[in-house]
Amino acid sequence: MESFATIPLFRAMVKPNPKAKKVLFYLTSYAFPWWVYTIPITRFRRMGYEVVVYDLHDAIVENIDPNILPSTTSKLIEDIARRQSEYEAEGIKTFHGIGNSLGSYLIFNYA
């Protein structure tokens, strides 16, 4: 079995929108792959967002190590903050976040 230290607990995928003036950080839920949310992601892009989708690994919840969730939360906060700074350098100043289930908990911690 692979150790939790070597599993990427989340991955970010940018769904670009060349006309975007705002960014949505979309955090998925526990036990569902990111593509389940294809329809809302597409709708948000049509509303003018560039969407950054965070696909969360089930190991965040399915583990025996109590440090996995807080560690993942910290790493995710760092990643979102870095991306937000990069977007601000490009002139984008409006950011929103949405999450489902585990994603809600994680985006709340970022906020």
Side-chain angles (χ1 to χ4, degrees), residues 13-16 23-24 26 41 44-45 49-53:
M13 297 164 289
V14 177
K15 302 302 178 189
V23 174
L24 176 71
Y26 196 109
I41 289 167
F44 280 117
R45 288 181 66 233
Y49 286 95
E50 177 152 303
V51 181
V52 181
V53 180

Side-chain angles (χ1 to χ4, degrees), residues 3 6 13 18 20 55 58 62 66 69 77 80 98-99 101 105 110:
S3 120
T6 61
M13 297 164 289
D55 189 26
D58 292 348
E62 297 172 356
L69 182 58
I77 287 170
I80 293 174
I98 191 169
S101 182
Y105 169 80
Y110 178 72

Side-chain angles (χ1 to χ4, degrees), residues 30-104:
Y30 163 70
F32 288 94
W34 75 270
W35 52 263
V36 170
Y37 304 102
T38 301
I39 291 172
I41 289 167
T42 301
R43 287 183 179 157
F44 280 117
R45 288 181 66 233
R46 286 185 188 148
M47 292 170 56
Y49 286 95
E50 177 152 303
V51 181
V52 181
V53 180
Y54 285 88
D55 189 26
L56 307 171
H57 196 290
D58 292 348
I60 295 170
V61 174
E62 297 172 356
N63 67 79
I64 58 171
D65 182 351
N67 295 313
I68 294 294
L69 182 58
S71 173
T72 302
T73 303
S74 295
K75 290 176 185 171
L76 191 93
I77 287 170
E78 290 171 11
D79 191 77
I80 293 174
R82 178 187 57 78
R83 289 175 190 276
Q84 187 172 357
S85 293
E86 290 171 0
Y87 282 116
E88 286 174 343
E90 295 174 12
I92 296 176
K93 305 281 188 222
T94 303
F95 302 93
H96 293 118
I98 191 169
N100 299 85
S101 182
L102 175 59
S104 296

